[in-house]
Amino acid sequence: MTLTHSTEIDVSTYERDGYLHLPGYITNPWLTELQSIAAEFVEESRTVAKSNSRFDVEDGHSAGTPRLRRLNSPVDLHETFARFALEGPAAGLAVQVLGGPVRYHHSKLNFKWADGGEAVEWHQDIQFWPHTDFSPLTIGLYLDDVDAEMGPMGVLPGSHHGQLYNLYREDGSWGGAIKESDIETLDLNDVRWLDGPAGSVTVHNCCLVHGSMANSSARPRPLLLQTYSSADSYPILGIGANGVTGKRSGAVIGGQAKQTVRIGGRSIPGAPDWSRKGAPTIFGSQHDG
Ligand SMILES: O=C(O)CCC(=O)C(=O)O
């Protein structure tokens, strides 16, 4: 496991602002390896006509001119993505920022294709996959150089300390974006656009207001994203994406979970995780030792 990295991480800045911007953080050989695997998936996407469980494609996607929005769950699709997120520098960075063992949640590769790749409207992440605390964070890695034209990630510093917005539309359907009436209350002059050369990394807290504009350049903007929480934070099943996060979801990295969860101000010393080996009965627990 290569969990260490020479760059100093300012955890107090992350806690104050809700994000970190680390230009050029990932170097070769990781970068070239990840770039070449991503390119293989773009090639494979030429064989699909419409979105499926692996690829989310834009209208107009074709074998001749791929237009990818997203590769879903890259960690489950290729060992290089898995090593990067579960053992490599992304895992190490999550452990450093969260200050102890972490629990991997999910991953995705957002391409935001050239010439109009779609915007991601202002939102917070925690509503999509609530946890038992607010430790979850997402680490993004730009696989190519990203400038202001390409729809880099935009973040509103400090907004993770503020309100958690209702991401349902006025008609009650799920919109996944902060409503215009709430956006009017935010000072978007403070937004920071996190661009940078290939290898640059973003880290954002699950409560931070963030989004990105459409890509008006002639180059795609591949951003590899992986989400982690503290090991003692658990996704709440039955809400949002928590039930569909992939086979490796729940992997604990850099130590062990204590099985103790704090909810509603009370601490629950939870039982061990029996999800893989099967649960004993209460008779077995109490009498078999
Ligand atoms: O791809 C982006 O620019 C932002 C991605 C994002 O905010 C998300 O997937 O939650």
Side-chain angles (χ1 to χ4, degrees):
M1 216 185 255
T2 49
L3 286 179
T4 53
H5 195 283
S6 53
T7 304
E8 199 64 26
I9 295 304
D10 186 351
V11 175
S12 60
T13 298
Y14 169 77
E15 284 166 357
R16 184 193 64 204
D17 296 340
Y19 76 97
L20 291 172
H21 183 206
L22 306 170
Y25 185 78
I26 299 296
T27 51
N28 292 332
W30 272 114
L31 188 56
T32 43
E33 197 177 338
L34 291 163
Q35 286 167 332
S36 104
I37 308 303
E40 283 175 22
F41 281 101
V42 173
E43 280 311 297
E44 185 188 323
S45 80
R46 294 177 189 272
T47 63
V48 309
K50 57 182 173 54
S51 296
N52 59 23
S53 59
R54 184 172 285 214
F55 298 108
D56 179 358
V57 300
E58 283 183 16
D59 287 346
H61 170 90
S62 69
T65 51
R67 289 196 65 81
L68 276 167
R69 286 201 292 215
R70 176 178 284 182
L71 176 68
N72 291 316
S73 209
V75 160
D76 292 316
L77 298 179
H78 199 285
E79 264 319 294
T80 297
F81 291 132
R83 273 194 299 114
F84 178 72
L86 303 178
E87 300 170 22
L93 181 56
V95 169
Q96 242 182 306
V97 176
L98 291 173
V102 300
R103 181 181 299 280
Y104 164 75
H105 187 249
H106 77 282
S107 64
K108 55 210 171 198
L109 172 49
N110 281 359
F111 280 96
K112 201 188 284 265
W113 213 257
D115 302 316
E118 287 166 9
V120 177
E121 306 297 334
W122 299 112
H123 66 283
Q124 293 157 313
D125 293 333
I126 192 71
Q127 296 89 334
F128 290 80
W129 25 258
H131 278 60
T132 53
D133 70 13
F134 297 105
S135 66
L137 55 73
T138 296
I139 294 178
L141 165 65
Y142 291 129
L143 295 181
D144 280 326
D145 296 347
V146 172
D147 62 27
E149 272 197 308
M150 296 168 75
M153 182 78 149
V155 295
L156 189 57
S159 54
H160 63 309
H161 294 305
Q163 189 177 331
L164 294 178
Y165 295 94
N166 181 341
L167 306 187
Y168 285 83
R169 298 189 184 91
E170 299 294 356
D171 67 6
S173 61
W174 175 252
I178 301 177
K179 284 187 273 300
E180 203 45 53
S181 52
D182 286 324
I183 289 177
E184 282 165 11
T185 67
L186 298 170
D187 188 355
L188 296 184
N189 292 319
D190 288 343
V191 167
R192 304 282 189 277
W193 299 102
L194 311 181
D195 51 15
S200 296
V201 161
T202 63
V203 182
H204 70 272
N205 176 263
C206 61
C207 301
L208 192 76
V209 173
H210 65 287
S212 58
M213 298 209 203
N215 183 356
S216 56
S217 81
R219 289 145 290 138
R221 188 230 57 176
L223 174 60
L224 178 64
L225 296 151
Q226 34 267 304
T227 295
Y228 310 83
S229 68
S230 295
D232 295 316
S233 172
Y234 292 82
I236 299 167
L237 287 177
I239 308 187
N242 279 332
V244 289
T245 45
K247 323 194 265 294
R248 315 290 275 264
S249 191
V252 173
I253 301 159
Q256 286 190 319
K258 292 198 285 292
Q259 302 302 117
T260 296
V261 194
R262 244 190 120 64
I263 303 179
R266 300 175 82 183
S267 194
I268 308 167
D273 176 14
W274 293 318
S275 62
R276 301 195 202 276
K277 289 195 192 145
T281 64
I282 193 165
F283 301 104
S285 297
Q286 294 182 353
H287 301 294
D288 295 349

